[in-house]
Amino acid sequence: MKSKRWTGVKSKIYALTILSALSFSFFFSVSNGNAANVNKALKQDKPENWVASDQNAAMERSQERVPLIINVKMEKPGERRNRLIGVLSMKDSEHRYFLLNSPIIKKDNDLYGPVRFMHNKHMIVSGDCTTCHHYRPEGNNTSETVRCRACHQEAFHPDIPERTGLKAAYHLKCLGCHKAVKKGPVNCTGCHAKNVPDHGKLVQLTGKPKPSDVTKECLRCHQSSAEGLSTSAHWLWRGPSINTRGREKEISNGKATNTMNNFCIALSNNWPRCTSCHAGYGWKDKNFDFSDRTQMDCLVCHDTTGTYNKTPQDAGMPDPSVDLIKVAQNVGKPSRQNCGDCHFEGGGGDSVKHADMNSTLFWPNRNCDVHMGGYDFNCHECHKTQNHHIRGRSTSLPVAEGGFTCEACHTENPHSGNELLDYHLNKHTQTIACNTCHAPLYAKCKPTKTFWDWSKAGDKKRKPQKDKYGKDDYLWKKGEFRWKESAKPEYAWFNGNVERYLLGDTIESMNHLKITAPVGNFRDPQSKIHPFKVMRGVQPVDPNTRLLLAPHLYGKGGYWKTLDWDKSFKSGMTSVGLKYSGEYTWISTEMYWLINHEVTPKNMALSCATCHTSFKEALNHPLNQSVRTCNRCHQDNRDINFEKLVEQGIDFQLLQQRGRDSQSLIDSTDYINFKALGYKGDPIIYGGRFKKLPLGWKQ
Amino acid sequence: MTLSRRNFFGIMAGTGSMILGRTKKATAWESKAPDNPYACLVDLTRCVGCRKCEEACNQANHLPPPDISFDDKRVFDTKRRPDDSRYTVVNRYYGGKKNEQDELLPTFVKIQCMHCQDPSCVSACIVGALTKKDNGAVHYDVSKCIGCRYCMVACPFEIPAYEYHNPMTPQVRKCTFCFEKISKTGGRPACASVCPMEAITFGPRKKLLDIANKRIHENPGKYVHTIYGEKEMGGTSWMYLSAEPFESLGFQKLPLAPPPKLTETIQHSLFSFLWSPILLYSVLSGVMCLKNKDDKGGSHES
């Protein structure tokens, strides 16, 4: 789509005899066939065969009508509870997940979207089925538990006027319990998203409005939204850095000011290119007025048509061909399309920067990401938003507007369904982040950059070679790259805080620099083992001032025009108000990128044997019956398929057969490398970090 | 003490009844209340103050959009009254109940026309624009209304509002009980059908009283043992259950007898057997006769 536009722009440029310096450079860069640099429109229409399986099944269930049960067997709550304790258990739960979206509720009013209800989670947390299933249908052979809507249907039923309708039954039970236990949401939008009214009639725009005119129209009703956005990270590109060690009380760190990386390094004087991802219009130099709310770009996040696009090199301005009125009349809640259009493209292209985010997440397979692929989650369902401040934090950026954890939804004892494993898996959550097991690979389907050497840049004669993924290994503008698909993460202790190099910090060792590194260690109870993509690079540094250099790359006077590093550093460092001594050299850098997405379901999580060598040894042992592992503690003779139990999980061989680059991982064990993390060896043999093994078993 | 219009009428009515009560026995006043109309039971312990009822009412009655959005909870900082642009409002009261953290617990109170069983407004209306329908609604017929606003004076709950901003076609505005809706089988008022907590239960009045009594009976510690509206002003179609004394939640303490009983008794006594007009006109004709006699002589002089 965009490439068409390029051709259009190109032909226009051909047609014009007078070229401005800027447009000339633009043409020049395109005509050089710089494929990696051309932002392709990432947005994708939903593929016809794409189905979020779990979500779909739940949706179908939610639409079912069941006959109304008029008579129930009245039982005192305590008696019923005592009678059912030990009788009903997790095994009786037919479905883990429900959508509360019955047509009964929608009959009179349709104000909110469906509620996601995690049935088994509530079973675990409540521990008492009768909290919700408070009565049973009358009769001898009736089921002990029935769906809510078997008894609660339309409100004010003439035969049973005292019984609440389904909507009230949900609200009274859910709210009552959430308030009583002081857990779980008690506000409307905590459980279900409010339906966005049709803006077709509300939006009063005519003619050909400027982008800022659209914003003014939005602000007519949504003043408070602008108020919220005006102090948010998406608008300011800076904010409080409470998780950056030593900078917990600073409030102005971020991309806009001092964040560095080993991709395109820093914002320094590269505005119009970098800020094409800014939720605003026209941040083309340091004089951008952040108090002018009419420059906010509401549409980039709230477009539902999929037609809105920002020009990649125009400081956030939308493509002139976009029908802004149409987009404004069809605004809605942000979807994966909106967020992904910028965030999947970090580093200037699909999958370049983030280990765990790329265009496959628009319509992912369930195995690729269980939340988005199985349950059709939108980003904001986890990254909950209040006043346009979006929860979530990364290791790569210092700004944090609140965080959340997997445990917030899944509890600290998330595993249920396999009583042989649940206990052990739930103990793992004290030491291991969910994603350590549930994201055994990163960049599963799209290769990501893992290495970038800026020192090799500038050789226009060097022909780029294609690697096994078909990616170029070189670009004269940027230097040398390495890419990796289906990569094994590196594991480190992490307690949520990050050591971070920011622009202007003095470097201690000139050999090597960790731009970001996780804080945490073996002895810290707050630390858990987390998976990381470690991005390695070679980038410029000033040996005299010992500062990492921020180059001016894009636009007039930038390195991509002049190929003159010296000028580029001078311009870049001046723009951020720092000194450049006139000398530069190269330093190898590392950056830790926490892997949060591409969460796999249990069938694709790490198996026990992938990490625990002792299991692998036992399985490979010719007399594996005699090697003691589980039966070291468990003295029982149940007939258990031990092999199946410890090997269930991700199968690298199968992945390879399906075309993934996982050959090197087949048959791997000690996957997370216990010794490197501080253990003596496999904790099954040597014990965990705080506890000794109970039975004193020696090898 | 200043004499308000309301007090003035009260005193006048009181004095009148005292005089008349002695002079003449009236025929006994009979309630015209429907036997078992539809009603609503508001359980204040359930209301969470979401204001969905206000929003639903606004839409059902095509009322103007509010100045402050229905999602904005800041409106609770002031006490609001229903008016011509909103037929129902929810107010927040702190009746004194506290939680373990010693924080006051709010009680949200929805107010609207109570749809009295024997409405004062209907009694006061001189043209019959207001009528009590069999289904419970106190119904307003704009085509009959002459804009005298007696209903506004008469209402003990101070509900009817007048469109003062509309000088050409002003109307008296108040909750309609969604008359059209509840006239159909299965129809329910907009507020009751939207309420997520079923804080408003809609149904036949007698059944609701049973439900209310049952709730009190099953949770005697939770509720105050009164159903506001069961007897107040002769009974209303909107009734309330509460965990806190009604006086602390902005409910007026009102007499149990329906006001029309008194006023209509007075009025009917005045007009029974047409004795008062006959007497009045007899006196007047006597005066005229006397005056005419006097005037005969005088006319020559002029």
Side-chain angles (χ1 to χ4, degrees):
Chain A
M1 211 171 73
K2 256 187 195 169
S3 59
K4 264 188 199 166
R5 217 167 50 238
W6 288 135
T7 341
V9 173
K10 234 158 103 179
S11 58
K12 267 185 205 163
I13 294 167
Y14 277 125
L16 290 168
T17 44
I18 306 157
L19 298 171
S20 71
L22 197 70
S23 62
F24 180 76
S25 68
F26 176 36
F27 161 58
F28 182 71
S29 71
V30 172
S31 64
N32 267 278
N34 182 357
N37 203 25
V38 176
N39 271 337
K40 283 190 186 133
L42 271 187
K43 284 184 193 125
Q44 294 168 1
D45 289 333
K46 185 168 157 182
E48 262 172 41
N49 55 354
W50 189 84
V51 176
S53 50
D54 308 75
Q55 185 74 352
N56 229 38
M59 186 57 96
E60 276 171 21
R61 279 202 302 280
S62 76
Q63 300 305 304
E64 287 166 13
R65 289 265 187 177
V66 290
L68 175 68
I69 295 164
I70 298 274
N71 297 315
V72 293
K73 191 176 169 191
M74 301 307 260
E75 229 178 326
K76 282 188 179 156
E79 285 171 12
R80 179 168 164 78
R81 183 169 173 266
N82 292 351
R83 191 167 61 76
L84 292 181
I85 271 184
V87 176
L88 284 181
S89 74
M90 204 67 76
K91 275 188 230 152
D92 299 299
S93 164
E94 204 179 326
H95 301 288
R96 301 176 67 90
Y97 175 72
F98 290 90
L99 274 177
L100 312 185
N101 193 38
S102 167
I104 300 170
I105 295 179
K106 309 263 160 168
K107 197 185 145 209
D108 287 314
N109 316 90
D110 190 5
L111 303 173
Y112 288 89
V115 174
R116 298 177 185 275
F117 178 68
M118 298 193 281
H119 183 245
N120 281 33
K121 176 205 168 172
H122 282 82
M123 286 177 86
I124 298 167
V125 173
S126 146
D128 175 8
C129 304
T130 64
T131 315
C132 300
H133 298 280
H134 50 152
Y135 293 122
R136 61 177 288 196
E138 206 170 56
N140 291 328
N141 295 320
T142 51
S143 169
E144 277 294 350
T145 59
V146 289
R147 305 184 215 196
C148 305
R149 96 191 81 135
C151 298
H152 298 275
Q153 297 196 350
E154 314 259 339
F156 322 129
H157 192 288
D159 299 337
I160 36 171
E162 74 282 3
R163 194 182 295 170
T164 50
L166 184 60
K167 183 164 65 176
Y170 283 146
H171 284 112
L172 287 166
K173 263 291 172 235
C174 299
L175 264 178
C177 198
H178 288 186
K179 278 183 180 168
V181 301
K182 296 195 171 66
K183 258 185 194 158
V186 291
N187 56 336
C188 307
T189 49
C191 291
H192 39 42
K194 198 168 189 192
N195 294 341
V196 178
D198 181 6
H199 278 65
K201 290 187 191 106
L202 300 171
V203 171
Q204 298 165 2
L205 284 169
T206 48
K208 217 163 157 37
K210 284 187 293 185
S212 59
D213 294 337
V214 179
T215 308
K216 274 180 209 157
E217 175 63 11
C218 300
L219 295 185
R220 196 163 55 82
C221 298
H222 298 283
Q223 277 291 347
S224 64
S225 304
E227 181 88 42
L229 186 69
S230 68
T231 54
S232 75
H234 274 79
W235 174 244
L236 296 173
W237 280 17
R238 61 186 161 79
S241 49
I242 50 165
N243 306 309
T244 302
R245 197 138 92 168
R247 297 173 183 273
E248 291 86 350
K249 292 183 180 170
E250 294 176 13
I251 54 160
S252 213
N253 297 323
K255 255 188 204 306
T257 49
N258 55 8
T259 307
M260 301 199 89
N261 62 39
N262 49 12
F263 291 85
C264 284
I265 302 180
L267 180 60
S268 54
N269 236 345
N270 300 305
W271 283 286
R273 172 89 210 182
C274 296
T275 57
S276 66
C277 271
H278 180 234
Y281 302 123
W283 183 3
K284 56 181 188 295
D285 52 38
K286 63 180 171 200
N287 299 321
F288 182 70
D289 180 7
F290 285 96
S291 65
D292 183 0
R293 292 178 186 173
T294 62
Q295 298 306 318
M296 288 173 173
D297 186 351
C298 311
L299 303 180
V300 70
C301 299
H302 293 284
D303 169 38
T304 61
T305 64
T307 57
Y308 187 81
N309 248 326
K310 280 169 173 278
T311 309
Q313 290 154 333
D314 198 15
M317 295 306 278
D319 191 291
S321 67
V322 174
D323 181 352
L324 294 176
I325 295 183
K326 187 185 154 205
V327 174
Q329 285 174 337
N330 288 285
V331 286
K333 296 247 178 253
S335 66
R336 295 195 296 271
Q337 308 289 314
N338 302 98
C339 305
D341 206 30
C342 285
H343 289 276
F344 296 168
E345 242 184 314
D350 187 10
S351 188
V352 168
K353 213 181 212 172
H354 292 277
D356 52 350
M357 287 200 286
N358 55 55
S359 61
T360 52
L361 292 184
F362 284 132
W363 308 106
N365 182 288
R366 188 180 192 270
N367 283 340
C368 179
D369 186 289
V370 68
H371 293 115
M372 298 182 230
Y375 296 89
D376 202 9
F377 266 69
N378 277 319
C379 307
H380 64 83
E381 291 185 70
C382 293
H383 294 271
K384 288 216 168 89
T385 302
Q386 206 147 32
N387 299 329
H388 280 73
H389 288 222
I390 301 171
R391 269 203 253 171
R393 57 188 204 212
S394 71
T395 44
S396 58
L397 280 172
V399 193
E401 296 182 331
F404 59 92
T405 57
C406 307
E407 287 89 338
C409 282
H410 291 282
T411 76
E412 281 162 6
N413 297 306
H415 302 96
S416 67
N418 185 335
E419 55 186 16
L420 286 167
L421 281 179
D422 290 347
Y423 170 77
H424 297 284
L425 292 179
N426 285 338
K427 272 189 73 127
H428 276 66
T429 58
Q430 296 162 12
T431 314
I432 293 178
C434 302
N435 260 7
T436 300
C437 293
H438 286 275
L441 296 171
Y442 68 82
K444 278 206 288 274
C445 305
K446 288 247 158 121
T448 183
K449 264 184 203 173
T450 55
F451 176 78
W452 183 328
D453 184 350
W454 277 100
S455 69
K456 303 271 169 55
D459 186 358
K460 284 191 178 178
K461 287 189 190 118
R462 178 169 161 182
K463 282 267 177 289
Q465 304 288 314
K466 297 272 184 213
D467 67 6
K468 58 182 163 180
Y469 313 114
K471 294 282 186 187
D472 288 337
D473 72 336
Y474 185 75
L475 186 65
W476 64 264
K477 279 177 166 186
K478 298 184 176 180
E480 202 174 277
F481 315 122
R482 279 203 287 277
W483 299 77
K484 182 75 182 99
E485 178 234 75
S486 296
K488 179 184 159 179
E490 293 177 41
Y491 295 93
W493 292 102
F494 179 47
N495 63 12
N497 293 316
V498 178
E499 290 271 17
R500 194 185 303 281
Y501 178 88
L502 290 175
L503 201 58
D505 292 353
T506 316
I507 297 167
E508 280 169 25
S509 158
M510 293 299 280
N511 301 324
H512 188 74
L513 172 69
K514 284 185 174 174
I515 298 176
T516 64
V519 175
N521 64 66
F522 185 74
R523 303 301 309 170
D524 170 14
Q526 302 298 319
S527 296
K528 291 182 186 181
I529 300 166
H530 281 74
F532 292 91
K533 166 192 171 177
V534 182
M535 173 68 187
R536 298 193 162 82
V538 175
Q539 64 192 94
V541 65
D542 186 328
N544 302 320
T545 59
R546 301 179 86 88
L547 298 178
L548 217 50
L549 289 167
H552 175 196
L553 299 167
Y554 172 77
K556 198 181 172 187
Y559 177 74
W560 293 342
K561 286 280 147 51
T562 62
L563 284 189
D564 184 341
W565 276 125
D566 204 50
K567 274 188 193 157
S568 157
F569 297 141
K570 202 170 276 172
S571 159
M573 292 303 269
T574 316
S575 80
V576 293
L578 286 172
K579 226 180 111 191
Y580 168 55
S581 72
E583 256 183 273
Y584 67 91
T585 176
W586 303 95
I587 185 170
S588 81
T589 56
E590 263 181 12
M591 221 183 148
Y592 279 72
W593 292 70
L594 184 62
I595 295 163
N596 284 318
H597 305 90
E598 290 194 342
V599 180
T600 62
K602 60 181 171 189
N603 58 308
M604 292 288 283
L606 285 182
S607 68
C608 309
T610 320
C611 290
H612 293 289
T613 329
S614 53
F615 286 131
K616 209 74 168 182
E617 280 166 4
L619 289 169
N620 294 334
H621 199 278
L623 302 165
N624 72 34
Q625 293 300 319
S626 63
V627 179
R628 300 182 73 204
T629 49
C630 298
N631 57 354
R632 206 149 43 87
C633 301
H634 295 285
Q635 288 145 19
D636 76 17
N637 300 313
R638 278 177 292 181
D639 188 21
I640 294 157
N641 188 342
F642 173 63
E643 191 170 339
K644 194 180 160 205
L645 196 67
V646 298
E647 288 223 303
Q648 64 187 23
I650 193 164
D651 184 344
F652 295 117
Q653 192 149 16
L654 188 70
L655 281 182
Q656 199 222 347
Q657 284 163 9
R658 289 181 183 168
R660 304 268 68 88
D661 185 23
S662 59
Q663 167 93 52
S664 59
L665 301 171
I666 296 169
D667 272 334
S668 56
T669 190
D670 195 11
Y671 196 73
I672 65 172
N673 196 348
F674 287 115
K675 281 191 177 155
L677 288 165
Y679 292 92
K680 275 189 205 151
D682 183 353
I684 288 189
I685 307 295
Y686 296 96
R689 48 179 181 155
F690 298 120
K691 280 182 184 161
K692 297 279 171 269
L693 280 176
L695 300 182
W697 185 79
K698 295 267 159 39
Q699 200 169 13
Chain B
M1 195 191 97
T2 53
L3 192 62
S4 72
R5 194 172 171 181
R6 187 177 299 277
N7 287 338
F8 170 75
F9 279 104
I11 291 164
M12 287 301 285
T15 339
S17 71
M18 269 164 63
I19 297 161
L20 286 159
R22 282 181 194 149
T23 50
K24 184 139 182 129
K25 280 242 161 91
T27 45
W29 178 83
E30 267 181 45
S31 165
K32 287 181 281 296
D35 179 44
N36 192 16
Y38 280 125
C40 281
L41 175 68
V42 184
D43 190 333
L44 299 180
T45 63
R46 287 189 183 179
C47 180
V48 290
C50 69
R51 300 182 67 210
K52 285 284 174 294
C53 49
E54 291 186 34
E55 191 173 359
C57 179
N58 178 285
Q59 277 162 16
N61 294 297
H62 310 290
L63 298 175
D67 297 336
I68 304 170
S69 111
F70 288 112
D71 296 331
D72 199 331
K73 301 276 153 47
R74 284 178 294 182
V75 294
F76 291 130
D77 292 344
T78 52
K79 296 281 180 288
R80 299 171 301 146
R81 292 289 308 167
D83 59 29
D84 56 307
S85 65
R86 48 189 190 201
Y87 295 167
T88 184
V89 290
V90 179
N91 283 325
R92 183 185 58 202
Y93 289 88
Y94 289 104
K97 282 218 163 164
K98 291 177 180 172
N99 63 8
E100 305 99 81
Q101 281 83 43
D102 221 18
E103 293 156 342
L104 283 166
L105 292 171
T107 301
F108 297 95
V109 180
K110 176 186 186 299
I111 39 179
Q112 71 296 309
C113 172
M114 300 287 279
H115 298 275
C116 306
Q117 284 287 72
D118 281 302
S120 310
C121 55
V122 171
S123 176
C125 184
I126 53 173
V127 289
L130 283 158
T131 42
K132 175 77 178 176
K133 299 287 184 185
D134 278 345
N135 64 11
V138 173
H139 184 253
Y140 171 71
D141 182 353
V142 65
S143 66
K144 291 184 184 163
C145 179
I146 55 167
C148 69
R149 285 165 277 145
Y150 282 7
C151 50
M152 295 169 65
V153 183
C155 177
F157 302 98
E158 302 174 36
I159 291 297
Y162 196 66
E163 289 179 331
Y164 289 107
H165 60 87
N166 178 6
M168 300 312 285
T169 54
Q171 291 189 38
V172 170
R173 309 301 297 261
K174 68 163 198 71
C175 162
T176 63
F177 210 167
C178 287
F179 176 70
E180 311 287 329
K181 283 188 186 172
I182 64 167
S183 300
K184 289 176 202 147
T185 333
R188 305 174 288 179
C191 52
S193 72
V194 81
C195 181
M197 304 294 283
E198 236 168 81
I200 309 164
T201 310
F202 173 74
R205 190 166 184 272
K206 283 180 182 167
K207 208 140 212 176
L208 292 187
L209 282 169
D210 289 347
I211 294 175
N213 281 316
K214 197 176 163 205
R215 284 193 201 163
I216 294 174
H217 185 74
E218 284 176 359
N219 283 293
K222 182 176 170 184
Y223 294 103
V224 293
H225 296 191
T226 325
I227 306 163
Y228 190 92
E230 183 187 8
K231 297 190 179 118
E232 275 77 7
M233 296 277 117
T236 56
S237 268
W238 277 69
M239 297 171 292
Y240 291 79
L241 279 180
S242 168
E244 294 181 271
F246 286 103
E247 295 81 63
S248 63
L249 304 175
F251 288 85
Q252 301 173 69
K253 188 131 183 80
L254 290 170
L256 302 185
K261 186 176 180 182
L262 180 65
T263 54
E264 286 178 13
T265 307
I266 297 166
Q267 219 164 16
H268 294 176
S269 316
L270 277 169
F271 288 92
S272 57
F273 308 114
L274 287 177
W275 69 265
S276 52
I278 291 168
L279 181 68
L280 177 68
Y281 286 109
S282 315
V283 171
L284 284 176
S285 60
V287 170
M288 277 167 72
C289 282
L290 287 170
K291 188 97 166 94
N292 279 348
K293 266 183 193 172
D294 292 349
D295 282 354
K296 271 176 192 165
S299 62
H300 293 289
E301 285 168 22
S302 60

